[in-house]
Amino acid sequence: MLLNPVLGKLVGKRVVLASASPRRQEILTNVGLRFEVVPSWFKETLEKSLFAAPYEYAMETAKQKALEVANRMHVKHLRTPDVVIGADTIVTVDEQILEKPVDKQDAYRMLSRLSGKEHSVFTGVAIIHCSSKDNQLETDVTNFYEETKVKFSDLSEELLWEYIHSGEPMDKAGGYGIQALGGMLVEYVHGDFLNVVGFPLNHFCKKLAELYYPPPKHNIQHKKYDSIPSVDTFENLSDGESESSNFTEHKAASKLDNSGMCSSGAIYNYENSSSVRTGFMVPLENQSGVSESAAKLPSKILELMDGFRASKALFVACKLKIFDHLKDKGPLKAVDIANEIGTSVCGTERLLDACAALGLLEKTSQGYRNTDSANTYLTSDGEYSLHGYIIHSNDHVWPLFTNLESAVKEGSRQNHRAFGRKAEDLFKDYYHSWEVKQRFMAAMHSIAHLTARDVATAFDLSQFKSACDLGGCTGALAHELVQIYPNLKVTVFDLPEVIANISYFQPSGQCTAPVTFVSGDFFKDNLPEADLYILSRVLHDWSDEKIHVLLSKISAVCKPGCGILLAEMVLDDEKKNRSTALLQSLNMLVQTEGKERSGSEYRGLLEQHGFTNVKIRLTGNLLDVILCVKT
Ligand SMILES: Cc1cn([C@@H]2O[C@H](COP(=O)(O)OP(=O)(O)OP(=O)(O)O)[C@@H](O)[C@H]2O)c(=O)[nH]c1=O
């Protein structure tokens, strides 16, 4: 991949995204950047009137968000990240700055101001390079912004309120999400689309290129700053063309070369430097030709080719409970971990080094220790532990995927090849032994817990008084729902083998009264009465025929006004964009009779059973949500 030389500069560094925005996480993940997410606690309360221009406010807020995280990590965890990225998106119209609406009325006010007009979306970004000297945090701040102009059509009151009731505006600047339903309001976009979504990726890469690829001295030009710096492309950059591609060396060189040309925006500000850089040095075309072959490396293909190695390293580290050991006792040397878990020292050391290079561990002079993400997601008792799902991936999905070729040739599941048994029923496979059942339930619990909040809040469900989560397994989503909607009573309906085994997964210290568990088979038994039927990761297991059987049963017991809430990975209609969901569909091929479906496909299935007003919400999390109502 041509961009790789730029983003590749961050490989091996401890990169932290100081943002809770799922969109920013997705944009950076999609380009293969490895980073930890540590949302900033900085409150967006800077006095706007103190800033001469709105973009200065966005840049300063981005900087403060990132600095807060850098300081907190340094002080509280005594762990200094290498790079912290912060961002802040604002919308401006009629010289007013609009941030996220505080409630529906506020969203109404914002959207009605935007109706029929052009407005600007500014995202300020801060890239902070951190180091620690004598235990003091040192920071170098690179700050920039990007502007995109967006025009809305005239919005009728009805459309406006329908959009507000979808829930989409609430966590978004200006009260809309251009990437989802909000896209329907937009007449045109001038500039970087991703900047509107929350992160100006193109400008970010150009900024990294400036930081890491200074031009050879004879090529130095000084440019006045504008919103996009004058690096026309980063496609032909590679290590070979610069005299120094290292941030620190480049920084030192840049101070020497700075001739003090003035910039309009004071954008490029090394906080702790005695001199403030105000000019831009931009790399020109690669004249040496040295790096041509490196730039042409098919990085994306190479990454995919080796992707399984990284997955397996993660699986094995989880299986050997390395993250659990390090959480309790870290930092530890390889030899100590090997002794603890009874493995070879040489093999363990290689695995630990690989995990550190993949950003899962940190290697220090005292030994290896967990990153924050490892503590949260990879330990078996982490707050959002994915341990169960990872073990399931290793023990169950991996053998199935080794038979992908047969699955593609035959168009059917491969359980007989992977496990040497012909199972008549999908779930009989999982429940034939206690150990496999426990593993499967832990896996489903991991994902349900991680996605529960986004699923529960994708739509306002407060009009429903009772819900039945069909195939709700351990009740992770049900427990989240009753926290968010205190008047809701939720029944979890699942197979008797599952219900018999739920106690291990129940939350401690939480009132569980509004959640009840009922055992049964939703294809064969009567369904409990409810206003809302929930099917989370259920329909993707089944063929259209079986789905019709299930939906007609639900339809038969649903009164008008009652609804269905689906949580699935929703494919785009052309099935060409969402690679995680498309790979999940292959996962369904190797092990079930189902598949992942697009929004239109789900709509078609639901409408055939009298469920209309189908609304789809892409959450940015692993599951998207569809709500419809029986008419
Ligand atoms: C205009 C627009 C904005 N957004 C989101 O609006 C939030 C802005 O708020 P922020 O304060 O910059 O960020 P945050 O979400 O509070 O996160 P944090 O960085 O932790 O402050 C970000 O999420 C953006 O994606 C969209 O998803 N789509 C759009 O079309």
Side-chain angles (χ1 to χ4, degrees), residues 19-21 23-24 44 65 89 100 173 176 178-179 196-197:
S19 173
S21 167
R23 278 74 56 180
R24 293 192 182 118
E44 296 167 29
K65 284 182 185 179
T89 302
K100 288 162 292 191
Y176 72 95
I178 197 167
Q179 68 277 23
V196 185
V197 181

Side-chain angles (χ1 to χ4, degrees), residues 302-365:
L302 295 180
E303 197 183 310
L304 291 175
M305 202 169 78
D306 282 350
F308 75 97
R309 300 182 191 184
S311 301
K312 196 65 179 176
L314 168 66
F315 295 173
V316 171
C318 273
K319 192 117 198 187
L320 295 173
K321 298 208 162 201
I322 283 177
F323 303 106
D324 285 336
H325 282 284
L326 287 175
K327 185 176 186 183
D328 295 339
K329 299 180 185 148
L332 289 174
K333 303 264 187 215
V335 60
D336 301 323
I337 301 175
N339 284 340
E340 285 256 356
I341 61 179
T343 50
S344 73
V345 177
C346 67
T348 307
E349 188 164 20
R350 285 194 209 181
L351 179 63
L352 292 167
D353 282 343
C355 287
L358 289 170
L360 305 174
L361 294 177
E362 202 186 331
K363 189 175 181 179
T364 71
S365 51

